[in-house]
Amino acid sequence: MLGIKELTYTSMISFLIVVILGPIFIPMLAKFKFGQTVRDDGPQSHLAKNGTPTMGGIIMIVAILITGLTRSRVSKDMFVGLVCIGGFGFIGFLDDFIKIKMKRSLGLKAYQKIILQFALALYVSYYQYVTSPSATQITVPFTDSVINIGVLYIPIMMFIIIGTVNAVNLTDGLDGLASGVTLIVSTFFMIYAGLVVVNPEIAILAAATVGACLGFLGFNSYPAKVFMGDTGSMALGGAVVAFAVLTNSVLIIPLVGGIYFAEAISVILQVMSYKLTRKRIFKMAPIHHHFEQCGWPETRVVFTFWIITVVLAWISIISVF
């Protein structure tokens, strides 16, 4: 079992790597004109963010990789976790690079994203299915009940992985929102992996993600000096699903990651409502933009979503203990 001291040291190392790399890497992004292209159909107040350096998620990925590899033995779980984070981050990097190169707000085509995400989700799901004897035994939060999903494990996990990664990606729409929410979610998984299921490699990986998110917030909180881009948001989504899948706790994601869930559901409901009735449920989706359109300052939306995530994390801790 890892102690709080070891996990704190791990987070500090990752935090320092981001803090050191930020002032070096961000000017490089600006120099090479790797700037954000804000969508015209988004909030008009966000158009002022056009040109803000993006792809800053690379800093977080580097910090997590270095910290994970130096603070723990490279076990199979650690390797798969790093592949999940780096792999989804690479898909996001391709998306960002195409946006910048083509000077447009859309990068990879939908089918290209799905193929790459499908392959990575299949790899992670298959690994856990063949290596963890209890993989198919899914524990229901707040109860002692266990659901045995048997041979359906791989397709169900793939659906959860792809859905969660894209939900985290949707959450990255305001300064500091995705990085702050994921910091809190990762803190929960750090405690869960370190103290409950006792998977030290995943606890280390979660601690590294906590430190990376905290360091990045220094550059990404309002007004953001850099955006994480799809590079960062998809890497963070990969981190969350890696923690959950490798600790066999995927049913906790809708609870501790309730904000991710709300963001994704708001988009799904908005699209369905408009296609069926030509009416919109929200003023704008994802839901963080709805609150902006209601007159909330960006900082108020972000802070409120952080507080909600802290409450959900506490409830999640209660549910697993």
Side-chain angles (χ1 to χ4, degrees):
M1 180 183 296
L2 284 174
I4 296 299
K5 183 185 292 185
E6 289 82 357
L7 294 174
T8 302
Y9 285 158
T10 301
S11 295
M12 287 176 61
I13 292 169
S14 185
F15 169 81
L16 289 173
I17 291 173
V18 172
V19 169
I20 292 169
L21 289 180
I24 299 171
F25 193 68
I26 294 172
M28 289 174 59
L29 292 173
K31 180 179 179 180
F32 291 111
K33 298 183 179 179
F34 284 2
Q36 177 77 19
T37 301
V38 178
R39 295 179 63 170
D40 295 332
D41 57 353
Q44 294 301 300
S45 60
H46 287 211
L47 294 177
K49 299 182 181 184
N50 256 320
T52 301
T54 188
M55 296 171 67
I58 293 173
I59 307 172
M60 290 191 290
I61 296 173
V62 170
I64 294 169
L65 290 177
I66 292 175
T67 308
L69 292 171
T70 56
R71 288 290 294 171
S72 174
R73 65 187 182 89
V74 185
S75 65
K76 290 182 179 179
D77 276 9
M78 172 64 75
F79 177 79
V80 172
L82 291 174
V83 168
C84 191
I85 296 169
F88 279 111
F90 180 70
I91 296 171
F93 171 82
L94 292 177
D95 197 42
D96 284 334
F97 187 78
I98 292 171
K99 290 176 186 176
I100 294 167
K101 190 72 174 178
M102 304 299 293
K103 297 186 183 301
R104 65 191 193 194
S105 59
L106 296 175
L108 288 170
K109 295 179 180 179
Y111 78 89
Q112 294 172 325
K113 278 186 181 180
I114 289 297
I115 290 173
L116 293 172
Q117 291 178 8
F118 184 93
L120 200 50
L122 176 60
Y123 167 73
V124 176
S125 301
Y126 180 76
Y127 164 81
Q128 190 67 359
Y129 181 71
V130 298
T131 59
S132 175
S134 59
T136 60
Q137 309 289 325
I138 307 299
T139 303
V140 180
F142 295 107
T143 73
D144 294 326
S145 302
V146 174
I147 303 173
N148 188 344
I149 57 178
V151 294
L152 294 176
Y153 177 84
I154 291 178
I156 290 174
M157 285 307 108
M158 290 177 63
F159 175 79
I160 291 172
I161 290 170
I162 293 173
T164 301
V165 169
N166 285 289
V168 176
N169 183 239
L170 288 171
T171 304
D172 182 35
L174 301 178
D175 296 355
L177 180 56
S179 47
V181 168
T182 305
L183 185 158
I184 300 162
V185 172
S186 298
T187 300
F188 163 78
F189 279 109
M190 177 183 73
I191 295 169
Y192 181 70
L195 303 179
V196 181
V197 298
V198 192
N199 188 324
E201 288 77 26
I202 300 306
I204 289 290
L205 205 53
T209 305
V210 170
C213 288
L214 183 60
F216 192 72
L217 269 175
F219 307 108
N220 184 235
S221 56
Y222 185 86
K225 300 180 183 66
V226 66
F227 297 139
M228 66 174 69
D230 285 355
T231 305
S233 60
M234 294 192 72
L236 293 182
V240 172
V241 296
F243 306 152
V245 172
L246 296 175
T247 57
N248 297 325
S249 58
V250 292
L251 289 187
I252 205 71
I253 293 177
L255 180 56
V256 68
I259 292 297
Y260 304 144
F261 190 73
E263 298 277 17
I265 290 297
S266 69
V267 173
I268 293 170
L269 291 176
Q270 186 86 322
V271 172
M272 288 178 60
S273 176
Y274 187 75
K275 285 188 174 182
L276 293 174
T277 67
R278 292 296 171 185
K279 294 181 180 178
R280 293 179 172 86
I281 299 174
F282 305 101
K283 293 185 177 181
M284 189 175 288
I287 198 168
H288 56 255
H289 289 323
H290 169 80
F291 288 108
E292 281 191 290
Q293 296 301 308
C294 289
W296 288 29
E298 181 173 344
T299 50
R300 182 183 176 187
V301 178
V302 171
F303 187 72
T304 300
F305 281 27
W306 286 357
I307 294 299
I308 292 171
T309 306
V310 168
V311 173
L312 292 175
W314 275 112
I315 295 173
S316 299
I317 289 174
I318 293 170
S319 77
V320 297
F321 277 100

